[in-house]
Amino acid sequence: MNTQDNQSDETTDFGFEQVKKGEKAGRVREVFDSVADQYDVMNDLMSGGLHRLWKRFTIELSAVRSGQTVLDIAGGTGDLAAKFSKLVGNDGNVILADINAAMLSVGRDRLIDKGALNNISVVQADAQFLPFEDNSIDCITIAFGLRNVTDKDTALRSMHRVLKPGGRLLVLEFSKPTSPLLSKIYDAYSFAALPIMGKLIADDADSYRYLAESIRKHPDQDTLLDMVEDAGFVDCRYHNMTGGIVAVHRGIKG
Amino acid sequence: MQHDPAVITGICRAVELAIERAVRLSPGTATQLQGLHPLDVAIHCTEPTISIFAFIDAAGMVKLASYRETKPTVAIEATWRDFGKLATAADPAAALINGDIKISGDTAALLQVQRVISDLDVDWEAPLVDALGPLLGHQIANIVRAIVHGTKSTHRRVKRQLSEFILEEGRLSPSAGELDAFFSDIDDLVLRADRVESRLTRLKKRVSTLVETVK
């Protein structure tokens, strides 16, 4: 039995649902095809604008300099890529990658509007099988994308492969609140308010229900830290933000 | 206590926007700031433990960050109380030198920053005129200017009258002239006491010499 057959038998989570591994990418694609146009508006509404601060801190942690090559995986609408574009300057290069063509299309249009495409390449790619040379990237970021990846370990190993020695990985992702009270409030908000907001703004309650479920199924801070270390990264650490609702994990390729 | 990076990042962004706005309303400042690039200042508060990094980008804009790996041009370290004293000091340069603030790196850069801040001349009437039109905007600006001027002169007057009451009316504290005369008298008295003491020493020596001679 080949790898393809193995994958078709194994299951993985899609929110609280168990689906065959081969089906998850397609299901995730359906979700993001549906929300692509309203993605940034919904992000602002759902997080109260906080996602901008989470991303800003992630960019600070990246310590990206002029002339470097940055890969933004699951970069979707390109907000991180636009900021990295300024930091790397004309001598550097930013690659905006996403598995979803609809998100990339929205992202590319936004970047054209901002006049930021001169040092940005747009690539449709699966995080598990990155189509880049070994040791070719200075910094990889994946913001709110890892939880949608079918096999997170494979994706982290793929990121490790394409990073240059000394290069850094930054994973910004929803995580587990550190306070039990905040956790309860957050649960109520996620499962009651999010689908309603999704229905009102994007006319799609299911996609936002999936968002809440996928966050709960995503590994907590320490588990993800172990996964990043297992993928071969060193000097790994994480920073909790907004009481652990979000965490940014950092790993260096040794 | 571990602080939340999102909170510090939010504060940095808010301050950054305020500075950006002030610089835009002070035409000469942007050029002065551009001359300071690539200045990088690290501000470490030890109680509570928070670090903020201020730097000037190539476009001459002041940027703030809660995390930065670049080696700073100058680093300042103090408790929040010391930073508070510095912020409210009448002479910040003296407070910086005489206070408990640790400075490392190129201190000349701080003087350049201080020069830029003192030259900052914000045309705050411009946004009012933009929003309300030249007539109403200018009138409101005049009213605000009069209120600010009135508040400042009232503050100065109250300060002067209070000091006069303490010195003249209430006699609660001596005046500077009286203090000078008092300290001058003390100095004079100390000198006289020293002279008397040396005369007594000489007299004692002579008496002991005479006693030895008589024996």
Side-chain angles (χ1 to χ4, degrees):
Chain A
M1 194 183 278
N2 61 28
T3 319
Q4 196 73 38
D5 295 331
N6 272 334
Q7 205 180 48
S8 66
D9 291 340
E10 289 173 30
T11 60
T12 185
D13 51 82
F14 175 77
F16 289 161
E17 207 181 320
Q18 283 295 309
V19 296
K20 286 182 179 164
K21 273 194 169 178
E23 286 175 16
K24 179 165 175 172
R27 299 282 296 271
V28 170
R29 191 178 304 124
E30 282 169 24
V31 167
F32 283 93
D33 280 347
S34 159
V35 301
D37 289 339
Q38 302 291 336
Y39 188 74
D40 283 348
V41 179
M42 280 302 291
N43 275 351
D44 275 333
L45 272 174
M46 289 185 304
S47 70
L50 280 172
H51 75 104
R52 293 171 191 275
L53 299 179
W54 299 331
K55 286 171 183 167
R56 187 182 155 111
F57 182 64
T58 305
I59 290 169
E60 286 174 11
L61 280 183
S62 73
V64 161
R65 296 188 305 277
S66 173
Q68 290 192 322
T69 301
V70 180
L71 169 61
D72 182 26
I73 302 173
T77 51
D79 46 358
L80 278 180
K83 298 225 165 47
F84 279 127
S85 161
K86 286 182 190 163
L87 290 174
V88 300
N90 288 331
D91 298 333
N93 185 27
V94 178
I95 304 162
L96 169 63
D98 202 300
I99 195 169
N100 188 282
M103 293 290 284
L104 274 182
S105 169
V106 173
R108 190 171 46 197
D109 289 349
R110 295 255 163 91
L111 292 169
I112 290 170
D113 291 346
K114 286 180 184 170
L117 264 178
N118 61 328
N119 58 356
I120 302 179
S121 330
V122 180
V123 176
Q124 187 173 6
D126 184 338
Q128 299 169 106
F129 314 104
L130 292 169
F132 306 107
E133 282 180 27
D134 295 3
N135 308 317
S136 60
I137 310 283
D138 293 292
C139 177
I140 295 179
T141 55
I142 176 165
F144 306 112
L146 190 66
R147 71 178 190 284
N148 298 316
V149 175
T150 306
D151 189 333
K152 296 171 186 66
D153 292 313
T154 306
L156 289 169
R157 281 195 297 274
S158 177
M159 293 172 204
H160 185 267
R161 177 183 64 76
V162 300
L163 265 178
K164 287 178 186 173
R168 70 181 64 189
L169 165 72
L170 292 159
V171 181
L172 177 65
E173 192 50 272
F174 291 105
S175 208
K176 298 283 179 279
T178 48
S179 141
L181 177 65
L182 179 63
S183 187
K184 279 181 186 157
I185 296 167
Y186 181 50
D187 273 351
Y189 171 73
S190 306
F191 290 105
L194 278 192
I196 295 170
M197 285 165 78
K199 178 71 187 162
L200 290 174
I201 308 294
D203 193 25
D204 183 358
D206 290 341
S207 294
Y208 287 91
R209 192 169 297 112
Y210 160 74
L211 174 74
E213 290 176 5
S214 65
I215 291 168
R216 295 308 175 281
K217 296 298 285 183
H218 187 67
D220 65 15
Q221 288 88 332
D222 291 319
T223 311
L224 183 57
L225 189 72
D226 289 343
M227 287 165 70
V228 174
E229 280 171 346
D230 290 346
F233 290 94
V234 296
D235 197 13
C236 302
R237 61 182 73 159
Y238 66 81
H239 300 263
N240 280 327
M241 288 190 275
T242 320
I245 288 176
V246 161
V248 55
H249 285 69
R250 191 202 77 168
I252 308 280
K253 179 169 176 178
Chain B
M1 200 181 116
Q2 186 73 26
H3 63 263
D4 193 320
V7 175
I8 306 298
T9 306
I11 294 168
C12 285
R13 181 65 187 139
V15 176
E16 198 180 280
L17 283 173
I19 295 172
E20 204 175 294
R21 194 130 201 211
V23 169
R24 213 174 290 140
L25 295 173
S26 173
T29 308
T31 320
Q32 279 182 296
L33 285 171
Q34 217 158 4
L36 293 181
H37 172 73
L39 177 73
D40 222 303
V41 182
I43 302 160
H44 303 294
C45 183
T46 49
E47 282 172 27
T49 316
I50 295 170
S51 292
I52 290 177
F53 303 85
F55 57 100
I56 292 161
D57 69 7
M61 296 312 294
V62 177
K63 299 285 172 193
L64 298 176
S66 57
Y67 181 88
R68 194 156 164 83
E69 292 185 1
T70 312
K71 188 174 183 283
T73 318
V74 58
I76 309 167
E77 189 183 315
T79 63
W80 70 269
R81 280 188 198 83
D82 295 324
F83 281 123
K85 278 183 203 165
L86 178 67
T88 53
D91 183 358
L96 195 65
I97 294 160
N98 301 325
D100 294 326
I101 296 171
K102 286 183 200 163
I103 305 172
S104 56
D106 180 11
T107 47
L110 285 180
L111 293 175
Q112 286 176 301
V113 173
Q114 202 221 342
R115 206 170 301 133
V116 173
I117 294 169
S118 60
D119 289 349
L120 189 74
D121 183 18
V122 179
D123 177 18
W124 53 267
E125 193 177 321
L128 275 178
V129 169
D130 287 345
L132 305 168
L135 194 66
L136 189 60
H138 181 65
Q139 290 306 321
I140 291 176
N142 276 346
I143 293 167
V144 173
R145 207 176 280 120
I147 292 169
V148 170
H149 179 72
T151 311
K152 273 184 183 169
S153 62
T154 306
H155 177 252
R156 269 199 304 271
R157 208 168 48 244
V158 167
K159 203 172 158 186
R160 197 188 64 240
Q161 284 174 348
L162 191 68
S163 116
E164 278 172 7
F165 174 77
I166 291 169
L167 296 172
E168 310 292 338
E169 307 287 334
R171 302 292 298 164
L172 300 171
S173 168
S175 68
E178 283 173 315
L179 271 178
D180 284 347
F182 177 70
F183 288 127
S184 165
D185 285 350
I186 289 176
D187 289 343
D188 196 34
L189 190 65
V190 169
L191 281 173
R192 284 179 181 181
D194 287 348
R195 279 193 214 110
V196 171
E197 192 184 7
S198 63
R199 278 183 186 172
L200 277 173
T201 314
R202 266 168 38 214
L203 197 61
K204 267 185 193 170
K205 271 185 187 170
R206 283 173 70 179
V207 168
S208 58
T209 316
L210 278 173
V211 169
E212 288 292 320
T213 317
V214 171
K215 275 181 184 176

